[in-house]
Amino acid sequence: MSDETKKGQLELGQTRSKEPDRNFHRGGRSFYFFDFDDNIAFLTTPLVLFHKETKEELHLSSAEWALHHSSIGKNGPYEHYDISFDDAVGTFRHFRDVQIEEVERQLGKKQSFVQDVMVALGHPDGQWKGPSWDCFYHAVFNQRPISVITARGHSAETLRAGIYEFVKNGHLPLEPNYLSLFACSNKHVRQGFGDHEFKMSTAELKQKAIRASVERAIEVYGYSPHHRFGMSDDDPKNIQLIVEEMTRLKSQYPEMSFFMIETHGGDFVKHEISQHGLTTPLVNDGLEQLDLFDQLAKRK
């Protein structure tokens, strides 16, 4: 990616004007829900598998995990590997917070999520910007209410700190207008969703987070038949259950609008949710004025 292209992306906020929320004049708001990894941004945080016999570690990227996690230990390329759920030394250890002593904090030690964002920002934009980055930027720039719903297990404070690095480095003009932050593997979050025995899958927990975020939106911004909700995610299994939950929400709030954006494999495919599930993919519609991003895509 050329320096000119990078500069244009960074300076976009200086030349564009804020856009009014599509249904604001009717009392409605647009709410944006985002998965983080491989959706907003690509990070190098590894997931760790363990060979069933030798216990040798094998590191996977989040994209490899999304593609193969349902077959690990059963069949396919990772048939001979196990998943460990030990937070300290297991598969997801880099997706959890660690205890940082005050002396270490003063010396600059940060949680892995924050460190991984900082490392990513040291590379060209094209290497770390995910398929929903432009949508995320649009929502932040216009201060739309945002929910981050991720499979990670960090605290909400850590998620905020990591996302703030985008602001510090000039990639976002200001902090997001947070509606909610759900790291679905966080034990406190899981317990809050009633998963006291830690048996729910990530997709099931994301269903809970989406419903909680919709309810939070109505609590904070009031009920309106003109509210619009959209969720973007890259994991096919998560997408399936997200659509199921949004279909239930559409049945409960039939006058509101719900959208699912699939970003698997770097795509950006928008669907509106009906009371019967997905509709035909949308081309000239979406969460709101997403034609902006179609124009940006054509420039690249």
Side-chain angles (χ1 to χ4, degrees):
M1 181 176 292
S2 69
D3 290 340
E4 182 178 353
T5 302
K6 288 177 63 178
K7 182 178 179 181
Q9 290 179 339
L10 284 170
E11 294 180 350
L12 180 62
Q14 298 175 13
T15 58
R16 65 188 291 185
S17 58
K18 286 185 168 55
E19 299 179 25
D21 203 321
R22 172 176 290 191
N23 289 331
F24 188 79
H25 64 291
R26 296 178 174 179
R29 300 295 298 267
S30 297
F31 301 90
Y32 290 67
F33 301 166
F34 295 95
D35 173 43
F36 188 89
D37 289 280
D38 302 335
N39 187 53
I40 291 176
F42 296 103
L43 303 185
T44 57
T45 315
L47 296 109
V48 185
L49 301 184
F50 302 86
H51 194 277
K52 291 181 178 181
E53 295 182 1
T54 66
K55 306 304 177 185
E56 181 181 358
E57 293 187 359
L58 177 67
H59 288 198
L60 299 187
S61 69
S62 53
E64 291 170 326
W65 173 265
L67 188 61
H68 296 289
H69 67 82
S70 61
S71 64
I72 292 171
K74 303 172 185 176
N75 52 62
Y78 307 113
E79 176 183 0
H80 302 294
Y81 288 86
D82 281 329
I83 297 170
S84 168
F85 293 95
D86 187 300
D87 278 349
V89 297
T91 297
F92 308 102
R93 62 183 186 243
H94 301 293
F95 290 78
R96 307 288 186 265
D97 285 352
V98 297
Q99 183 68 36
I100 298 179
E101 302 298 334
E102 183 58 33
V103 173
E104 295 177 307
R105 196 180 303 276
Q106 291 179 1
L107 292 174
K109 184 174 181 179
K110 302 180 185 298
Q111 297 291 349
S112 60
F113 177 64
V114 181
Q115 292 175 335
D116 288 347
V117 171
M118 293 171 66
V119 169
L121 295 182
H123 298 293
D125 294 4
Q127 292 186 20
W128 62 261
K129 285 186 175 178
S132 282
W133 172 263
D134 284 339
C135 187
F136 181 65
Y137 183 99
H138 172 79
V140 172
F141 181 85
N142 290 288
Q143 287 292 276
R144 305 291 189 256
I146 285 176
S147 293
V148 176
I149 300 174
T150 171
R152 288 174 173 266
H154 307 293
S155 66
E157 178 185 12
T158 295
L159 292 180
R160 282 177 178 265
I163 293 171
Y164 186 66
E165 291 297 320
F166 295 121
V167 181
K168 288 173 60 177
N169 284 270
H171 294 283
L172 289 176
L174 71 172
E175 286 195 82
N177 174 20
Y178 289 112
L179 175 70
S180 60
L181 286 158
F182 288 117
C184 292
S185 294
N186 182 286
K187 289 183 176 179
H188 299 294
V189 172
R190 299 185 73 151
Q191 289 171 336
F193 289 151
D195 185 23
H196 300 290
E197 296 182 1
F198 307 119
K199 291 184 177 180
M200 287 185 185
S201 68
T202 296
E204 290 172 320
L205 292 163
K206 284 193 172 185
Q207 285 183 318
K208 299 278 190 182
I210 287 170
R211 177 166 290 275
S213 296
V214 169
E215 292 172 350
R216 173 70 174 163
I218 294 172
E219 176 187 343
V220 173
Y221 293 92
Y223 176 89
S224 171
H226 303 291
H227 285 333
R228 297 160 64 85
F229 299 90
M231 173 77 191
S232 64
D233 201 298
D234 70 293
D235 189 309
K237 178 61 175 177
N238 291 343
I239 289 169
Q240 176 186 340
L241 292 194
I242 288 167
V243 169
E244 290 178 7
E245 187 62 31
M246 285 191 141
T247 302
R248 287 190 284 269
L249 285 163
K250 179 64 177 178
S251 296
Q252 184 176 350
Y253 304 107
E255 62 285 345
M256 295 183 186
S257 298
F258 295 86
F259 300 89
M260 177 72 231
I261 298 176
E262 302 180 65
T263 59
H264 177 63
D267 291 332
F268 191 87
V269 182
K270 306 181 288 292
H271 300 267
E272 184 166 8
I273 307 295
S274 73
Q275 294 184 49
H276 306 290
L278 287 180
T279 63
T280 303
L282 300 169
V283 177
N284 295 319
D285 197 4
L287 294 175
E288 46 182 308
Q289 297 93 342
L290 286 180
D291 57 320
L292 166 67
F293 305 126
D294 293 334
Q295 294 168 17
L296 285 174
K298 291 176 183 177
R299 293 184 203 166
K300 295 178 182 179

